[in-house]
Amino acid sequence: DDGENNDGTERYKWFLTVYGGAHAQDDIGDVFSFQARFEDNAYVAVAALARELWKYENYLSFELEGQVGKHFNKDTQWEFVGVLIGRWHYFPWNKYVETSFAVGDGFSYYTDVSEVEKEDDEDAQRTLNYLLFELALGLPQYPRWDLVFRIHHRSSVFGLVGAGGSNFVCGGLKFSF
């Protein structure tokens, strides 16, 4: 690999993302349909380090990401996440606004059982499945920086992995190097 994209621009393989957000009540469908409620004053702040594992031209890539998060107000636990991410890079407007969309799946571990998650399920667990959905937007003249919008989701996958779950609607910055 020569460290360049197909268009001759420098290719970055490491990504540091810092983001934060608020807990959204109800299920992930309410988040996607913009009907989520933000009533319980619970927040998360996350630092995430990712490494690109594979990329197909300027279309698709896969990354491995580790996260450390801190919950605030209603919850106070730390969170540790490992997640495999698939990212789509090609959008027709990329010469104006560099855009990528990512979906990831992995595991999330809380240092304490979440009070927020216990409200929805009294058997809430420390370890749950983790999903992320991310939209990254950047200006082509600043290729190292992106504004990110991310859904930070924990769930039991319908009882397959523990019990409980939560959604955080987040925003932040990504630096590529």
Side-chain angles (χ1 to χ4, degrees):
D1 190 347
D2 61 5
E4 288 189 359
N5 288 311
N6 290 345
D7 61 4
T9 59
E10 188 173 354
R11 183 163 154 204
Y12 305 110
K13 292 189 175 191
W14 287 92
F15 314 99
L16 177 64
T17 306
V18 179
Y19 66 92
H23 178 251
Q25 275 77 24
D26 300 319
D27 62 35
I28 199 164
D30 295 315
V31 174
F32 281 118
S33 64
F34 301 101
Q35 296 178 10
R37 297 172 293 122
F38 301 92
E39 299 172 348
D40 62 9
N41 205 27
Y43 304 95
V44 68
V46 177
L49 182 64
R51 170 70 160 89
E52 182 182 281
L53 302 173
W54 178 82
K55 187 170 186 180
Y56 175 71
E57 297 183 358
N58 288 331
Y59 295 100
L60 178 68
S61 66
F62 288 94
E63 305 162 15
L64 192 59
E65 180 176 277
Q67 303 175 7
V68 177
K70 177 67 173 136
H71 290 261
F72 296 96
N73 288 352
K74 193 164 193 171
D75 276 337
T76 59
Q77 74 275 1
W78 287 88
E79 180 177 6
F80 300 93
V81 174
V83 58
L84 180 64
I85 300 169
R87 183 175 302 277
W88 182 257
H89 296 270
Y90 180 77
F91 291 90
W93 54 82
N94 276 356
K95 65 182 176 180
Y96 306 107
V97 178
E98 192 74 37
T99 304
S100 70
F101 179 75
V103 176
D105 187 54
F107 285 96
S108 165
Y109 174 79
Y110 279 178
T111 55
D112 290 309
V113 175
S114 165
E115 293 301 318
V116 168
E117 292 180 357
K118 278 172 55 175
E119 287 178 4
D120 292 330
D121 189 329
E122 65 184 29
D123 296 324
Q125 306 283 311
R126 288 182 179 189
T127 302
L128 289 176
N129 188 70
Y130 175 80
L131 285 174
L132 73 77
F133 300 91
E134 179 187 276
L135 179 66
L137 305 169
L139 297 174
Q141 60 266 41
Y142 302 104
R144 290 181 177 265
W145 293 96
D146 287 308
L147 186 63
V148 296
F149 301 96
R150 186 179 278 200
I151 297 171
H152 182 99
H153 172 80
R154 281 172 41 99
S155 76
S156 66
V157 193
F158 307 105
L160 186 65
V161 182
S166 57
N167 300 297
F168 287 83
V169 177
C170 303
L173 288 173
K174 177 179 287 189
F175 177 72
S176 304
F177 58 100

